[in-house]
Amino acid sequence: DVKVTQSSRYLVKRTGEKVFLECVQDMDHENMFWYRQDPGLGLRLIYFSYDVKMKEKGDIPEGYSVSREKKERFSLILESASTNQTSMYLCASSYASGNQPQHFGDGTRLSIL
Amino acid sequence: AQSVTQLDSQVPVFEEAPVELRCNYSSSVSVYLFWYVQYPNQGLQLLLKYLSGSTLVESINGFEAEFNKSQTSFHLRKPSVHISDTAEYFCAVSDWRSGGYQKVTFGTGTKLQVIP
């Protein structure tokens, strides 16, 4: 069974901390995505990666960075966490020919205090 | 720029009744359209998609959606819902362009609550 695994389901951090969210997929997908999900706003794309070491900014990249050193792993980094980054974060992946995200992880609910 | 509107944030419906979840989009070019479902405490799953060809697309669990270009709509329907269909449903649109990454824009979601 195909799988996208996010390292934490729940995470609590303090303002100003550097936060790492990890995502691993086992489907050999080229594309990987990071979204944040907020009530009433749906999903908003933070960053997208179409290959190792390649990345594109999404709609809301401010305050975030990403790293893709290996094909199966895509990390989201909050450089200096702030309370307005409290949210649900979803990782997703797809084949290169499938531009829409196809498989999602179960999400990380991040609280910044 | 493309956009997606899901007018209904919540839709309550009795078990075995029919349901329609509405989705309208705007785009200046040809589009791909998608419906995703999110069950409680889970990530999203791709439910069905329209890329080209027949305007009526179906999922394996009885949902269907019809692409209507003149009304710029892609409503999701099911003739008889089950308790297990209780979830949040997201409509999404992707512009068709040649080459490059085609960004997918999600709607704000509709929570379907099936009442026993």
Side-chain angles (χ1 to χ4, degrees):
Chain A
D1 197 14
V2 297
K3 208 157 178 64
V4 177
T5 303
Q6 294 184 231
S7 54
S8 304
R9 289 300 304 271
Y10 301 94
L11 206 55
V12 180
K13 296 291 182 180
R14 297 198 177 277
T15 56
E17 281 192 70
K18 191 169 186 176
V19 181
F20 293 85
L21 302 183
E22 307 288 346
C23 175
V24 176
Q25 50 97 0
D26 63 1
M27 295 159 282
D28 202 35
H29 281 169
E30 289 80 8
N31 299 333
M32 295 189 75
F33 311 79
W34 274 108
Y35 290 88
R36 66 176 279 176
Q37 182 180 12
D38 299 288
L41 296 178
L43 274 72
R44 293 178 290 168
L45 181 66
I46 305 172
Y47 268 98
F48 158 65
S49 170
Y50 52 91
D51 202 350
V52 175
K53 297 189 186 296
M54 306 305 289
K55 61 184 180 184
E56 293 280 348
K57 291 181 180 179
D59 298 317
I60 51 166
E62 297 78 18
Y64 302 95
S65 63
V66 290
S67 172
R68 190 153 180 217
E69 297 296 319
K70 294 184 178 181
K71 191 176 185 180
E72 67 270 19
R73 186 181 296 272
F74 192 35
S75 303
L76 179 69
I77 303 153
L78 284 66
E79 297 291 345
S80 178
S82 63
T83 54
N84 62 10
Q85 292 178 309
T86 291
S87 185
M88 170 70 84
Y89 290 86
L90 293 170
C91 175
S93 69
S94 70
Y95 289 111
S97 61
N99 291 289
Q100 77 280 6
Q102 195 159 5
H103 297 279
F104 280 81
D106 287 339
T108 295
R109 187 165 293 282
L110 175 65
S111 297
I112 306 297
L113 304 178
Chain B
Q2 60 194 20
S3 66
V4 179
T5 302
Q6 292 182 251
L7 286 173
D8 304 308
S9 59
Q10 294 190 60
V11 174
V13 62
F14 286 104
E15 194 174 15
E16 298 183 5
V19 69
E20 178 180 82
L21 306 183
R22 296 181 294 168
C23 172
N24 289 89
Y25 69 91
S26 68
S27 174
S28 58
V29 298
S30 298
V31 296
Y32 298 150
L33 293 158
F34 313 94
W35 275 100
Y36 290 82
V37 58
Q38 185 178 32
Y39 297 104
N41 298 315
Q42 294 184 25
L44 278 71
Q45 302 175 31
L46 182 61
L47 187 61
L48 48 77
K49 59 185 177 183
Y50 169 78
L51 303 181
S52 64
S54 173
T55 57
L56 185 66
V57 290
E58 299 177 354
S59 72
I60 58 173
N61 58 353
F63 282 94
E64 65 178 29
E66 186 163 19
F67 169 55
N68 188 318
K69 188 175 181 180
S70 62
Q71 297 186 7
T72 61
S73 68
F74 191 56
H75 301 330
L76 182 69
R77 302 184 181 97
K78 190 171 185 180
S80 175
V81 295
H82 301 285
I83 294 289
S84 59
D85 294 324
T86 294
E88 190 161 17
Y89 293 80
F90 292 89
C91 183
V93 62
S94 171
D95 282 338
W96 185 93
R97 301 175 197 272
S98 57
Y101 169 66
Q102 299 153 19
K103 193 185 80 169
V104 176
T105 299
F106 285 83
T108 53
T110 298
K111 291 184 178 177
L112 174 63
Q113 182 185 4
V114 180
I115 304 164

